[in-house]
């Protein structure tokens, strides 16, 4: 197609993971995480992503970002364990990796959604989900101040 395009790609949404961890918190105030949750990932506020989308749309009139991929990243990388500890003030509980793997495999016929989440948790332990700025990184307002 000859339609102009721009891709705005973001790392993990801070607010989404705040909701996920808050929802997993038990009566003892500790979050429940699948596996060790030690692999660092980059969190970005939704407002920063929205700002990048608006800027890309505004700049589309000048063709500044047409045909480009805009990376929107947060300021720091953190593991889910550290993120949950900061959020709740208590270290999280971890479901052992062996059980998470079994849930991802054996849970598929019974609870496919839960099995998919378990497989995602395993993948998140091995993928590079940290901040990587690329040539077309669109600076956030807070980076420019």
């Amino acid at each position: 197609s000859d339609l102009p395009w721009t891709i705005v790609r973001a790392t993990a949404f801070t607010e989404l993971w705040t909701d996920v961890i808050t929802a997993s918190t038990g009566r003892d105030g500790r979050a429940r995480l699948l596996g060790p949750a030690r692999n660092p990932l980059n969190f970005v506020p939704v407002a920063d992503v929205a700002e990048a989308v608006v800027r890309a749309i505004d700049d589309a009139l000048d063709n500044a970002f047409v045909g480009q991929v805009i990376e929107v990243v947060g300021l720091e990388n953190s593991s889910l364990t550290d993120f949950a500890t900061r959020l709740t003030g208590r270290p999280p509980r971890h479901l052992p990796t062996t059980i998470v793997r079994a849930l991802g495999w054996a849970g598929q016929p019974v609870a496919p959604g839960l099995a998919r989440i378990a497989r995602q948790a395993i993948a998140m332990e091995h993928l590079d989900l940290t901040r990587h700025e690329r040539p077309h990184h669109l600076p956030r307002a807070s980076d420019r101040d």
Side-chain angles (χ1 to χ4, degrees):
S1 163
D2 291 333
L3 291 175
W5 59 270
T6 302
I7 295 173
V8 177
R9 184 170 40 203
T11 56
F13 293 137
T14 306
E15 293 83 355
L16 171 69
W17 282 101
T18 297
D19 289 349
V20 168
I21 288 173
T22 301
S24 79
T25 301
R27 292 182 193 179
D28 62 357
R30 295 173 70 180
R32 285 7 183 216
L33 299 178
L34 301 178
R38 288 188 295 250
N39 194 30
L41 61 149
N42 186 261
F43 296 95
V44 63
V46 171
D48 289 352
V49 179
E51 179 186 347
V53 170
V54 169
R55 285 191 56 204
I57 291 168
D58 288 345
D59 291 344
L61 300 174
D62 301 328
N63 289 327
F65 295 111
V66 172
Q68 303 296 323
V69 176
I70 299 169
E71 302 284 343
V72 186
V73 299
L75 293 177
E76 71 177 79
N77 300 314
S78 177
S79 71
L80 281 177
T81 296
D82 292 340
F83 187 82
T85 301
R86 281 196 311 271
L87 185 64
T88 64
R90 303 201 58 203
R93 294 185 185 275
H94 298 270
L95 190 63
T97 302
T98 307
I99 295 172
V100 178
R101 285 186 193 280
L103 182 60
W105 177 76
Q108 183 63 33
V110 182
L114 187 56
R116 191 170 31 256
I117 291 169
R119 289 191 307 271
Q120 176 186 353
I122 296 298
M124 287 176 66
E125 277 303 308
H126 301 286
L127 297 172
D128 182 2
L129 302 171
T130 57
R131 174 183 179 162
H132 294 286
E133 292 190 40
R134 300 214 169 57
H136 300 293
H137 167 70
L138 184 62
R140 299 179 348 255
S142 56
D143 290 342
R144 294 188 304 270
D145 296 335

